[in-house]
Amino acid sequence: SQQGEEDPQALSIQEGENATMNCSYKTSINNLQWYRQNSGRGLVHLILIRSNEREKHSGRLRVTLDTSKKSSSLLITASRAADTASYFCATGESQGAQKLVFGQGTRLTINP
Amino acid sequence: EAQVTQNPRYLITVTGKKLTVTCSQNMNHEYMSWYRQDPGLGLRQIYYSMNVEVTDKGDVPEGYKVSRKEKRNFPLILESPSPNQTSLYFCASSWGGSSSYEQYFGPGTRLTVT
């Protein structure tokens, strides 16, 4: 079952600009995670934000979580060509099986 | 180096020929899982394992089997592959249940069934 839905599906910006991606979900969650995937490769974990947290930072990444709106955003500041990848949100549901449910991702392209 | 390894990385096979994709992690993680990734469908969980000898179905388990006889290994078995199992497969591991911990992913296995 798909839980997280990313928006936009694709985003193209100039190097140095900020990139914002959004994720919406449907059920109660324990946490929400963001992953990056370079073309055809394995996913790399970026940030985990728990349901009782509102904002989290890691380097140039900033994640917010609004549980009342069931949404999250990932902001990448001062983008670089190396940030070109697909970004996925994944939700850990608070009830039921111990699993992550992934969205379909946002394809981010950073133009030099 | 902490890692999840998968083998083979690429595989082309024919319908009905049994195959196994291996997955191994060196981080002493309890939780392991298998996903498939298809265009337009994202990542979907096939099976997961909370610990040795404990496995359970994910969202798309039909046509797959798994076993967890050792903590480090979690092979994915396709007893009779079909073309609709052509996909990119990922193994992942974590300290505990994936809803609470970050997942470490393997590099992927691209499977083509003709």
Side-chain angles (χ1 to χ4, degrees), chain A residues 41-102:
Chain A
R41 298 194 172 185
L43 281 74
V44 175
H45 182 264
L46 297 176
I47 279 187
L48 182 154
I49 185 166
R50 303 199 183 278
S51 59
N52 60 354
E53 297 176 309
R54 292 296 168 257
E55 187 171 312
K56 207 162 184 179
H57 296 256
S58 177
R60 293 182 297 112
L61 307 180
R62 172 179 169 251
V63 168
T64 61
L65 178 64
D66 186 336
T67 53
S68 67
K69 294 181 179 179
K70 293 187 166 57
S71 67
S72 174
S73 67
L74 170 67
L75 169 67
I76 303 174
T77 60
S79 63
R80 306 167 181 170
D83 294 328
T84 294
S86 292
Y87 292 81
F88 294 87
C89 68
T91 50
E93 297 177 0
S94 58
Q95 296 181 3
Q98 282 287 325
K99 65 177 184 179
L100 282 178
V101 181
F102 285 83

Side-chain angles (χ1 to χ4, degrees), chain B residues 19 21 34-38 44-47 57 59-67 75-89 111 113:
Chain B
L19 66 91
V21 183
W34 278 101
Y35 296 87
R36 61 178 288 173
Q37 184 177 29
D38 302 288
R44 294 177 292 169
Q45 190 180 54
I46 302 170
Y47 269 96
K57 296 177 181 178
D59 292 321
V60 288
E62 294 77 22
Y64 304 94
K65 285 177 56 178
V66 293
S67 68
L76 179 70
I77 303 158
L78 284 72
E79 294 267 2
S80 182
S82 62
N84 65 11
Q85 293 178 298
T86 292
S87 187
L88 180 57
Y89 291 86
L111 172 65
V113 183

Side-chain angles (χ1 to χ4, degrees), chain B residues 1-2 14 17 19 41 51 55 58 61 63-64 68 79 87 107:
Chain B
E1 178 189 355
V14 296
K17 186 177 181 180
L19 66 91
L41 297 176
N51 213 324
T55 63
Y64 304 94
R68 186 94 180 271
E79 294 267 2
S87 187

Side-chain angles (χ1 to χ4, degrees), chain B:
Chain B
E1 178 189 355
Q3 59 182 351
V4 178
T5 57
Q6 295 179 226
N7 282 292
R9 295 288 313 281
Y10 303 90
L11 179 60
I12 301 173
T13 189
V14 296
T15 299
K17 186 177 181 180
K18 181 179 179 180
L19 66 91
T20 299
V21 183
T22 64
C23 172
S24 182
Q25 49 92 7
N26 62 359
M27 295 167 279
N28 202 35
H29 285 167
E30 292 189 347
Y31 183 97
M32 297 184 75
S33 60
W34 278 101
Y35 296 87
R36 61 178 288 173
Q37 184 177 29
D38 302 288
L41 297 176
L43 274 88
R44 294 177 292 169
Q45 190 180 54
I46 302 170
Y47 269 96
Y48 65 96
S49 170
M50 295 294 289
N51 213 324
V52 175
E53 302 291 2
V54 181
T55 63
D56 208 346
K57 296 177 181 178
D59 292 321
V60 288
E62 294 77 22
Y64 304 94
K65 285 177 56 178
V66 293
S67 68
R68 186 94 180 271
K69 300 189 187 310
E70 305 167 284
K71 199 171 188 178
R72 63 183 294 131
N73 297 322
F74 190 44
L76 179 70
I77 303 158
L78 284 72
E79 294 267 2
S80 182
S82 62
N84 65 11
Q85 293 178 298
T86 292
S87 187
L88 180 57
Y89 291 86
F90 291 102
C91 180
S93 72
S94 63
W95 288 110
S98 65
S99 69
S100 303
Y101 295 88
E102 67 175 274
Q103 298 291 291
Y104 292 78
F105 279 82
T109 295
R110 188 169 293 279
L111 172 65
T112 302
V113 183
T114 60

